[in-house]
């Protein structure tokens, strides 16, 4: 024994006594700290020898085993091992040894001379924390956490740990987090998701051992309370990013402690915590140490008071997101805007807040002169007048997103475009039912030359007249996304193509079922020299479009012609082109494409060496290709990924990567999904 740990009779054991009621009990994790000093009553010294077993008339003497030693002795042995590799090897012997090794803290590790190891003598104990580990579902157990703690300590240190879900029978508890606390002092990022068995004891252990923690995410951890945040505030003053979601027992007291003790905190996200109110949010913003730059509040019981505090004290805030705040009224947004404290605010997002009215939004524009991005979602009381007034004041705005704002009509859309400054670069409309296709006589004004990105999704009233007007007003468009617009035809889209002066780079026309080959041919002719991505999913196009694309679109690398009327001839036309360099091709749902296209698909990957890239192909199993793919796919090594679209009538289409499914399993899986 003395040879293993270099122990002499004059060496002192680590101060401490028996840690179990029963000395043989080792079913729990326990670490002897340097502060533990337990009195030893005088006992008769036990003699350790090989046990003798009586078997009938014979005497059997078993070989001595180290397993008969109590945990206290093994703990002393393990903490005297010369390095992290040796301790890792011991941890692989059994769960008992793993339990003991994982609970050795850095200040409990002794060198061969009986002293505490120095940072220079045992550099592999704690590294820079670059390693990342993730546990999900049934793999998330205390034993695995203990193994991670031991294994990473001698390999650079653990920097990031993500635990999502937990084993239903042997889930993560405070014991597992204690092992991380003991073995991973370099931990900087910790994310806990859906862990009902983790409570304050576990997070208190993290706060006690992981003083370098910078980012903490808590998602749906109902057993965690303010006690955990109090411990974190005391033990982790370097905390920079805090996210708390669905933690019903976290309230104002914990947030107040964080505000007092964490001067480096830059980002907070509090969602669906019913005990959090104005006191907690106000303390985070009004603290003398406050340096918050990102604030996200959702589904909280806060009132206009919190918004007033944000508007007055949020001098460093650059990103603000407010979602589903039922107790915040128009007055709150008005006071926030007139507080003149949000001078540095650049990004503002509001969702489902009834306080966003014309008056409230205008006040925000006046109080946030540097606002660059605005996203409004489900703002039912915002009208055209408010949007136009905002546009007249927000001279620095670069991006505007409107989603489900049904009171916004054509007049508000074009009125805001005419009044926005020269910095607006992106405009997005999603599911705005108030938009109607009215023929508007625009006055002779200077066009909005700064707009580069136009995105309109699922606005059923948007049609050709609106598109023609936008084409005239925005001649410098480069990215155009028009999806799910049944009112768009060739009549409206062709003028937009002709008015775009700088050349389109990305075009998404998915779900525009009334666009034909004529649009694609003109697009390829006028913008083929700049076009890189084209999505024609569901459009009424044929092989003529693929021929035009093959002849003119040299830079195109992403093409989606799913659910189109193309045939094998169109795919062959693409393959014959010496200029096109596709990296992604989707022909899912093209019923006229058969297994005759497999050689053509293989040719698409045979670009010159300087341009060669892996080709990703999306196919539909209804095309009759399933039988050929198993044999043809390995012959084309330049095809990087091959995805088969298993169309399930109950669940819709599902894509699966071909290499993930060996040939002998495809048939069985095919029966399963159908």
């Amino acid at each position: 024994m003395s040879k293993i740990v270099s122990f002499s009779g004059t060496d002192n054991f680590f101060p401490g006594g028996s840690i179990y009621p029963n000395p043989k009990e080792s079913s729990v994790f326990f670490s002897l700290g340097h502060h533990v000093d337990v009195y030893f009553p005088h006992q008769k010294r036990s003699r350790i020898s090989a046990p003798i077993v009586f078997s009938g008339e014979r005497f059997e003497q078993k070989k001595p085993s180290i397993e008969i030693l109590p945990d206290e002795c093994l703990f002393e042995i393990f903490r005297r091992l010369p390095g992290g590799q040796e301790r890792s090897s011991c941890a692989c012997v059994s769960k008992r040894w793993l339990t003991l090794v994982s609970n050795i803290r850095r200040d409990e590790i002794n060198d061969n001379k009986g002293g505490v190891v120095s940072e220079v003598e045992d550099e592999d104990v704690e590294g820079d924390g670059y390693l990342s580990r993730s546990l999900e579902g049934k793999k998330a157990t205390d034993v695995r956490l203990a193994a991670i703690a031991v294994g990473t300590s001698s390999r650079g240190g653990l920097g990031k740990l993500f635990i999502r879900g937990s084993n239903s029978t042997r889930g993560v508890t405070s014991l597992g987090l204690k092992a991380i606390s003991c073995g991973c002092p370099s931990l900087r990022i910790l994310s806990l998701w859906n862990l009902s068995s983790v409570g304050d004891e576990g997070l208190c252990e993290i706060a006690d051992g992981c003083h370098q923690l910078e980012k903490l995410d808590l998602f749906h951890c109902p057993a965690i309370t303010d006690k955990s945040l109090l411990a974190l505030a005391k033990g982790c003053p370097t905390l920079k990013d805090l996210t708390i979601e669905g933690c019903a027992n976290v309230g104002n007291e914990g947030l107040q402690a964080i505000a007092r003790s964490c001067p480096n905190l830059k980002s907070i996200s509090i969602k669906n915590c019913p005990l959090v109110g104005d006191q907690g949010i106000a303390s985070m913003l009004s603290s003398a140490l406050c340096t918050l730059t990102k604030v996200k509040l959702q589904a909280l019981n806060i009132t206009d008071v919190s918004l007033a505090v944000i508007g007055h004290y949020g001098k460093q805030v650059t990103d603000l997101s407010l979602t589903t705040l039922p107790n915040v009224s128009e007055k709150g947004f008005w006071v926030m805007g007139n507080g003149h404290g949000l001078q540095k605010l650049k990004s503002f997002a509001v969702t489902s807040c009834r306080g966003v009215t014309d008056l409230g939004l205008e006040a925000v524009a006046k109080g946030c002169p540097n606002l660059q991005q605005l996203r409004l979602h489900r703002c039912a009381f915002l009208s055209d007048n408010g949007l136009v007034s905002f546009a007249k004041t927000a001279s620095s705005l670069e991006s505007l997103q409107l989603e489900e704002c049904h009171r916004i009509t054509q007049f508000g859309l074009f009125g805001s475009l005419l009044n926005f400054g020269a910095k607006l670069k992106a405009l997005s409309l999603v599911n705005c039912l108030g938009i109607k296709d009215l023929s508007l006589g625009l006055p002779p004004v200077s066009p909005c030359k700064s707009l580069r990105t136009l995105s309109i999704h699922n606005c059923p009233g948007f049609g050709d007249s609106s598109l023609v007007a936008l084409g005239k007003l925005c001649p410098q468009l480069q990215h155009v996304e028009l999806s799910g617009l049944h009112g768009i035809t060739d009549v409206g889209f062709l003028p937009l193509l002709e008015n775009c002066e700088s050349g389109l780079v990305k075009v998404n026309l998915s779900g525009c079922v009334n666009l034909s080959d004529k649009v694609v041919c003109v697009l390829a002719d006028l913008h083929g020299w700049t076009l890189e991505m084209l999505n024609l999913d569901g459009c009424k196009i044929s092989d003529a479009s693929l021929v035009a694309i093959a002849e003119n679109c040299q830079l195109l690398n992403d093409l989606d012609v799913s659910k189109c009327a193309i045939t094998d001839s169109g795919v062959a036309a693409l393959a014959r082109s010496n200029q096109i360099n596709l990296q992604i091709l989707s022909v899912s749902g093209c019923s006229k494409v058969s297994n005759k296209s497999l050689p053509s698909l293989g040719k698409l990957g045979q670009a010159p060496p300087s341009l060669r890239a892996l080709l990703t192909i999306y196919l539909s199993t209804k095309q009759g290709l399933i039988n050929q793919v198993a044999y043809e796919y390995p012959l084309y090594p330049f095809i990087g990924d091959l995805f088969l679209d298993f169309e399930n009538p109950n669940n819709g289409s599902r894509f699966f990567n071909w290499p993930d499914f060996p040939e002998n399993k495809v048939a069985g899986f095919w029966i399963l999904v159908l």
Side-chain angles (χ1 to χ4, degrees), residues 457-505:
H457 298 268
N458 300 322
C459 297
F462 192 90
D464 289 336
S465 299
S466 303
L467 192 58
V468 171
L470 282 176
K472 293 179 180 179
L473 193 60
C474 310
Q476 299 297 324
L477 289 175
Q478 294 180 348
H479 301 165
V480 175
E481 295 187 20
L482 306 174
S483 63
L485 303 181
H486 295 177
I488 297 296
T489 66
D490 296 353
V491 176
F493 197 72
L494 289 175
L496 184 140
L497 293 177
E498 296 169 356
N499 288 321
C500 289
E501 300 172 357
S502 59
L504 293 173
V505 178

Side-chain angles (χ1 to χ4, degrees), residues 245-295:
E245 178 178 334
C247 297
N249 293 310
V250 171
N252 296 324
E253 184 181 0
L255 295 183
Q256 290 171 343
I258 294 291
R260 289 192 301 267
S261 305
C262 300
N264 297 321
L265 192 64
K266 301 294 183 183
S267 173
I268 61 167
S269 177
I270 314 296
K271 176 181 177 182
N272 195 22
C273 297
L275 297 183
V276 173
D278 290 328
Q279 292 181 351
I281 301 302
S283 65
M284 300 292 289
L285 273 298
S286 61
S287 172
L289 303 176
C290 178
T291 58
L292 284 173
T293 59
K294 296 182 179 180
V295 178

Side-chain angles (χ1 to χ4, degrees), residues 435-446:
I435 301 292
K436 304 297 180 183
D437 194 35
L438 304 176
S439 180
L440 299 177
L442 295 177
V445 294
S446 58

Side-chain angles (χ1 to χ4, degrees), residues 207-208 211 227-238 257-258 261-262:
D208 186 47
H211 302 299
K227 181 180 179 181
S228 295
L229 295 188
L230 291 171
L232 289 167
K234 182 180 179 180
C236 305
T238 60
I258 294 291
S261 305
C262 300

